[in-house]
């Protein structure tokens, strides 16, 4: 086997994302015992910095699940929807649908309220649905990675609470790239992951669990073992994981979170993401026949979606543009597969994605947009 074949592509997809050299190297730091004092050296700062990055107060506890973002989401469903309760999953795209799948496949009484691709949650429609269905729990996506739409988390949580339900939030593709102000968000549990805007390898699901959620979970039955947030919380309070952690990822995460909080700075990191969204918007303005997909005010700071001109096909994007950019050292995102298939079927224009999250810099993005433009102009 030749590891020389592992090409160092710059990832402009939406996860996993580009990892800095320092963080790659941190994977080679020594393994450690997860019930030993060495564990605290890594996970002490990890738990503290996660809460800082989330803007969490003492009302929230951070938990690390072995798995990925959807492990945290599944834990929220299993731990916070009781057997005799119902959940409304609100979807503005593929990942909203995923929350519904997680609820349904765990035998929960679930309904999926779907909005059109590229649109945020319509508050009036949600309000009416809440009043009709009277769910106990509601899930929604903070940042819909398939469409580049960011929902107004606080406003949606507030509406859910006004209707007497508990909000669960999927923040997988935005945590680490935008200000959550978790303490004022209204979310009962917020789930995220390492491999998107945190710019780490995949391997941990991250959950921020409120006191209210903790109290409820204590009364919910049939939570399984790996998805039982009550069990996780006991260990998390000791800065430990329920099961054996990935030591390489823990070392990387310790280094990366310290860099984010104490070197780059949280505010600067968030500002950099907003700057990159602005760069894409400006770039699209100058491109004939291309438009932003998400409406202004609801555009994600971590992933931008761009509508291609009439007549551009999935095949042109996947085989033409994507492969040409691979030759330039980039992994391009030709759009979310199911979304583009559905758009093509409906006679609508194709949408490509530009992941600009994590540790991608405005310089890197500028260079990438230049190469992407050259290829798009050949269409
Ligand atoms: C990537 C993603 C997920 C799935 O996360 P995994 O870490 O692959 O389990 C869920 N929701 C959103 C919004 C995502 O972007």
């Amino acid at each position: 086997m030749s590891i020389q074949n592992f090409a160092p592509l710059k990832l402009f997809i939406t996860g996993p994302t580009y990892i800095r050299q320092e963080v790659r190297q941190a994977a080679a730091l020594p393994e450690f015992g997860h019930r030993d004092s060495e564990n605290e050296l890594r996970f002490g700062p990890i738990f503290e910095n996660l809460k800082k990055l989330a803007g969490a107060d003492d009302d929230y506890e951070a938990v690390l699940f072995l798995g990925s973002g959807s492990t945290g989401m599944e834990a929220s469903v299993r731990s916070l929807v009781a057997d005799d309760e119902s959940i409304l999953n609100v979807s503005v795209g593929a990942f909203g649908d995923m929350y519904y799948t997680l609820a349904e496949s765990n035998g929960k009484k679930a309904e999926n309220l779907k909005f059109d691709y590229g649109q945020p949650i319509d508050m009036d429609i949600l309000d009416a649905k809440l009043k009709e269905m009277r769910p106990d729990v509601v899930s929604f996506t903070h940042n819909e990675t398939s469409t580049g739409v960011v929902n107004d988390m606080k406003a949606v949580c507030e509406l859910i609470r006004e209707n007497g339900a508990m909000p669960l939030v999927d923040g997988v593709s935005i945590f680490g790239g935008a200000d959550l102000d978790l303490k004022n968000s209204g979310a009962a549990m917020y789930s995220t992951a390492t491999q998107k805007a945190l710019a780490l390898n995949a391997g941990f699901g991250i959950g921020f669990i409120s006191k209210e959620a903790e109290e409820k979970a204590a009364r919910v039955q049939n939570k399984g073992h790996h998805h039982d947030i009550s069990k996780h919380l006991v260990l998390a309070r000791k800065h430990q994981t329920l099961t054996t952690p990935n030591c390489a990822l823990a070392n990387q995460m310790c280094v990366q979170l310290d860099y984010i909080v104490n070197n780059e700075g949280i505010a600067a990191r968030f500002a950099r993401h907003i700057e990159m969204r602005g760069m894409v918007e400006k770039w699209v303005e100058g491109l004939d026949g291309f438009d932003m997909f998400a409406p202004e005010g609801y555009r994600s700071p971590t992933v931008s979606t761009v509508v291609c001109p009439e007549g551009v096909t999935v095949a042109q994007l996947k085989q033409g543009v994507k492969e040409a950019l691979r030759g330039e050292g980039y992994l391009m995102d030709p759009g979310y597969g199911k979304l583009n298939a559905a758009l093509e079927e409906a006679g609508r224009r194709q949408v490509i994605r530009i992941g600009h999250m994590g540790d991608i810099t405005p310089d890197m993005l500028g260079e990438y947009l230049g190469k992407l433009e050259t290829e798009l102009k050949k269409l």
Side-chain angles (χ1 to χ4, degrees), residues 117-119 146-147 291-295 305-307 339 343 348 351:
Y117 302 116
Q119 294 305 309
S146 65
T147 62
D291 296 293
M292 293 298 289
F293 187 48
T305 43
V306 179
V307 192
L339 171 69
L343 290 173
R348 289 167 66 179
V351 173

Side-chain angles (χ1 to χ4, degrees), residues 68-71 73 95 98 141 143 145 170 172-173 193 195-196:
S68 63
S70 47
T71 314
M73 292 158 67
F95 292 101
M98 179 198 248
T141 319
N143 190 67
T145 322
D170 165 7
V172 173
S173 61
Q195 79 278 15
K196 298 200 175 167

Side-chain angles (χ1 to χ4, degrees), residues 46-67:
I46 285 174
F47 277 86
E48 188 188 327
N49 287 330
L50 280 175
K51 287 212 232 173
K52 277 190 193 161
L53 196 51
D57 58 10
D58 290 340
D59 214 40
Y60 287 90
E61 203 67 61
V63 157
L64 292 176
F65 302 93
L66 274 288

